[in-house]
Amino acid sequence: GEAVWVRADPTRLQQMIDNLVENAVKYGARHVTLHAAKDGEFGVLTIADDGQGIAPALMRRLFQPFVQGEQPLERPQ
């Protein structure tokens, strides 16, 4: 496909992608897919997995520092 260029802090971008992929695997995903595309003048990164997912109520706060969902006692560490 067409090259997608973004203006971003490369360290933070890599940290964000690593965190999303690591959490997907940590919480049960067996398959993780990353897709980069161009949408007009913007780059769009889509990350999808087959894990347990994120509670809808948590989605709007997802990228705030130190935000975590409910932690059930049986959750693997």
Side-chain angles (χ1 to χ4, degrees), residues 9-20:
D9 178 333
T11 301
R12 295 295 166 244
L13 185 59
Q14 183 68 52
Q15 184 180 40
M16 178 191 71
I17 293 168
D18 287 348
N19 188 39
L20 288 170

Side-chain angles (χ1 to χ4, degrees), residues 35-77:
H35 181 257
K38 189 173 181 181
D39 183 8
E41 63 184 80
F42 296 98
V44 177
L45 177 65
T46 303
I47 302 174
D49 67 73
D50 60 355
Q52 70 185 37
I54 299 170
L58 187 61
M59 292 300 286
R60 65 177 186 197
R61 299 182 307 124
L62 189 61
F63 293 105
Q64 293 175 0
F66 311 110
V67 170
Q68 290 187 343
E70 298 269 337
Q71 305 296 318
L73 294 175
E74 70 276 3
R75 181 188 130 204
Q77 297 298 318

Side-chain angles (χ1 to χ4, degrees), residues 2-41:
E2 186 177 355
V4 177
W5 293 93
V6 295
R7 179 176 291 159
D9 178 333
T11 301
R12 295 295 166 244
L13 185 59
Q14 183 68 52
Q15 184 180 40
M16 178 191 71
I17 293 168
D18 287 348
N19 188 39
L20 288 170
V21 172
E22 287 174 12
N23 282 339
V25 172
K26 183 188 220 179
Y27 294 103
R30 294 188 180 263
H31 300 94
V32 180
T33 305
L34 283 78
H35 181 257
K38 189 173 181 181
D39 183 8
E41 63 184 80

